[in-house]
């Protein structure tokens, strides 16, 4: 992936802006990445996958491009701030909101979400898996009920894209946002928004697309409708390569491996006295994200000791999701989050467990 980025950087042409060789090569990189996204997510027409700089940009586009004053939106108490902050902005602009509380394990009851639907509800916005507890949310059941009522479903797949199989052919989700740099294993500065055919969405950013240049109005066809200005063709060239790897490997294989190592992680951590775990303790109900606290120790201090003493990097604090932590009862200090990935080995999990045992022993 890094080599593809370096190669693209050396020959970066502006995709769609010219007919010369460098421009058409960049355009091919974008096309390849888009086609691979469509293949990975079963999305059919690849033009419905719009590149963005990250998941946050995709979520802002979806929320602010669809909701209008007088609309109502339903969401949950375990959303990331990249959903909650744009939603709060829309509330200031006259949109109604219901935030459905998730259980203490971080899982939302689909019936409570459906019970919050009203006749003005235009959108339900759900995180696919919480970045705080790892808990998978009942996206399929909620989306099916929303579809029956003509309500759009927006899914924040930042934690699941590339880690949990997602097939848009069988999932009635209308808008799906993700980062390129997490489970999709691409470079930072990449992300995408999938917009199902027929969804009415207004672009947040308008400008040059390299298409229909005779007109001073934004094109309405995809992806140009939502992709203005020079794209991150260098990053997207890297994303195309990591998507190719994921397609060959299979997301179901990655999911199985991550479930296995998370099971070992949870089992090992549960045996360390004074370590408290949050979120589902069953890896089939979560992604490979485990939030914990060492009794009597500030999460930042645990993170510091893991890095300084053992070279293990974790994230401590509120993880950009204050509501997620309120739900788990860990606000305002937050937790420590350990998140293995597809390249994490069993041996690394054992190293982490013995580091945690030692940290606990020395502090207890
Ligand atoms: C659940 C969730 N949503 C959204 C985001 C935002 O992603 P990005 O940093 O790509 O904008 C994150 C990032 O941590 C996340 O975990």
């Amino acid at each position: 992936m890094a080599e593809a980025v370096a190669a693209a950087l050396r020959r970066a042409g502006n995709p769609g802006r010219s007919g010369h060789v460098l421009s058409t090569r960049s355009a091919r990189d974008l096309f390849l990445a888009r086609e691979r996204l469509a293949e990975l997510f079963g999305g059919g027409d690849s033009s419905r996958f719009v590149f963005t700089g990250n998941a946050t940009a995709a979520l802002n586009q979806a929320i602010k491009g669809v909701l209008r004053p007088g609309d109502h939106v339903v969401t949950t108490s375990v959303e990331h701030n990249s959903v909650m902050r744009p939603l709060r902005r829309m509330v200031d602009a006259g949109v109604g909101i219901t935030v459905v509380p998730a259980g203490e394990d971080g899982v939302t009851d689909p019936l409570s979400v459906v019970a919050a639907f009203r006749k003005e509800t235009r959108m339900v916005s759900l995180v696919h898996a919480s970045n705080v507890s790892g808990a998978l949310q009942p996206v399929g059941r909620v989306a099916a009920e929303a579809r029956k009522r003509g309500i759009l479903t927006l899914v924040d797949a930042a934690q699941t894209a590339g880690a949990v199989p997602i097939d848009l052919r069988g999932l009635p989700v209308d808008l799906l946002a993700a980062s390129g740099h997490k489970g999709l294993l691409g470079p930072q500065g990449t992300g995408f928004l999938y917009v199902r055919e027929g969804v009415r969405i207004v672009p947040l950013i308008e400008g040059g697309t390299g298409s229909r240049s005779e007109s001073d109005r934004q094109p309405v066809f995809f992806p140009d409708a939502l992709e203005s200005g020079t794209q991150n063709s260098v990053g997207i060239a890297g994303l195309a390569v990591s998507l190719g790897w994921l397609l060959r490997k299979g997301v179901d294989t990655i999911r199985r491996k991550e479930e296995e190592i998370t099971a070992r992680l949870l089992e090992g951590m549960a045996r360390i006295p004074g370590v408290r775990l949050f979120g589902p303790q069953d890896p089939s109900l979560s992604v490979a994200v485990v939030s914990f606290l060492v009794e009597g120790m500030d999460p930042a201090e645990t993170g510091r000791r893991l890095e300084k003493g053992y070279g293990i990097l974790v994230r401590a604090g509120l993880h950009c999701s204050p509501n997620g932590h309120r739900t788990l009862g860990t606000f305002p200090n937050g937790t420590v989050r350990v998140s293995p990935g597809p390249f994490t080995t069993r041996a690394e999990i054992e190293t982490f467990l013995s580091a945690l045992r030692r940290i606990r022993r020395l502090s207890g």
Side-chain angles (χ1 to χ4, degrees):
M1 185 272 280
E3 290 81 41
V5 171
L9 197 53
R10 277 187 221 107
R11 59 164 166 70
N14 204 331
R17 298 301 195 273
S18 176
H20 65 58
V21 60
L22 295 183
S23 175
T24 51
R25 269 203 214 151
S26 284
R28 268 208 303 274
D29 288 339
L30 261 67
F31 180 74
L32 184 63
R34 222 186 286 283
E35 286 283 297
R36 288 180 173 168
L37 281 175
E39 192 180 339
L40 195 67
F41 294 101
D45 177 3
S46 69
S47 71
R48 308 302 299 189
F49 288 80
V50 173
F51 291 118
T52 60
N54 44 46
T56 303
L59 289 160
N60 270 267
Q61 170 61 73
I63 290 167
K64 296 172 181 168
V66 168
L67 293 173
R68 291 291 162 262
D71 287 343
H72 172 250
V73 60
V74 177
T75 192
T76 79
S77 69
V78 290
E79 303 300 316
H80 191 273
N81 268 347
S82 57
V83 166
M84 285 318 295
R85 287 178 174 173
L87 283 180
R88 291 289 175 209
R89 173 85 48 202
M90 295 314 286
V91 170
D92 293 344
V95 169
I97 189 170
T98 304
V99 181
V100 177
E104 272 174 18
D105 57 355
V107 181
T108 314
D109 170 16
L111 297 178
S112 313
V113 178
V114 174
F117 290 165
R118 301 186 198 152
K119 71 173 183 345
E120 324 78 79
T121 307
R122 173 114 185 89
M123 176 187 275
V124 55
S125 181
L126 285 179
V127 69
H128 194 182
S130 159
N131 64 309
V132 173
S133 66
L136 281 159
Q137 305 300 318
V139 160
R141 287 181 64 189
V142 169
E145 291 301 321
R147 174 63 58 85
K148 284 187 208 157
R149 295 161 175 80
I151 296 167
L152 298 175
T153 301
L154 165 63
V155 171
D156 170 2
Q159 292 291 332
T160 52
V164 175
I166 297 174
D167 189 347
L168 291 164
R169 283 167 299 201
L171 191 65
V173 161
D174 302 286
L175 298 138
L176 183 103
S179 324
H181 68 276
K182 297 179 191 282
L184 296 181
L185 309 173
Q188 291 183 11
T190 61
F192 75 88
L193 175 66
Y194 163 77
V195 183
R196 197 178 284 280
E197 177 94 53
V199 172
R200 290 202 355 237
I201 182 162
V202 174
L204 287 194
I205 299 193
E206 295 171 287
T209 57
S211 56
R212 299 280 155 84
S213 294
E214 71 286 359
S215 171
D216 63 2
R217 306 295 302 237
Q218 186 74 8
V220 293
F221 55 86
F222 274 65
D224 301 33
L226 302 185
E227 264 179 22
S228 291
T230 298
Q231 298 299 300
N232 177 11
S233 57
V234 169
I236 295 169
L239 183 64
V241 170
S242 61
L243 289 168
W245 185 85
L246 283 169
L247 284 165
R248 286 193 301 282
K249 184 86 180 166
V251 175
D252 44 355
T253 308
I254 291 171
R255 171 70 180 148
R256 269 197 305 278
K257 186 195 161 184
E258 290 193 355
E259 273 189 50
E260 242 174 73
I261 50 176
T262 308
R264 170 63 195 134
L265 186 62
L266 286 167
E267 181 204 347
M269 290 174 82
R271 284 170 194 236
I272 307 176
V275 167
R276 187 160 165 222
L277 294 166
F278 298 88
Q281 310 293 291
D282 173 350
S284 71
L285 303 179
S286 70
V287 289
V289 164
V290 177
S291 250
F292 69 96
L293 285 174
V294 175
E295 221 168 71
M297 192 182 289
D298 186 78
E301 176 58 18
T302 309
R304 197 192 65 78
R305 291 192 193 188
L306 281 167
E307 177 171 9
K308 297 289 170 235
Y310 309 91
I312 297 170
L313 309 184
V314 292
R315 182 167 170 193
L318 290 174
H319 311 100
C320 300
S321 181
N323 290 355
H325 280 284
R326 282 190 184 98
T327 304
L328 297 183
T330 49
F331 187 86
N333 291 341
T335 54
V336 188
R337 186 185 68 177
V338 55
S339 39
F343 307 113
T344 307
T345 63
R346 293 280 299 215
E348 285 168 333
I349 297 290
E350 298 310 322
T351 304
F352 170 78
L353 290 171
S354 51
L356 195 56
R357 270 184 226 111
R358 214 173 137 69
I359 287 172
R360 172 62 195 146
R361 243 194 334 267
L362 295 178
S363 75

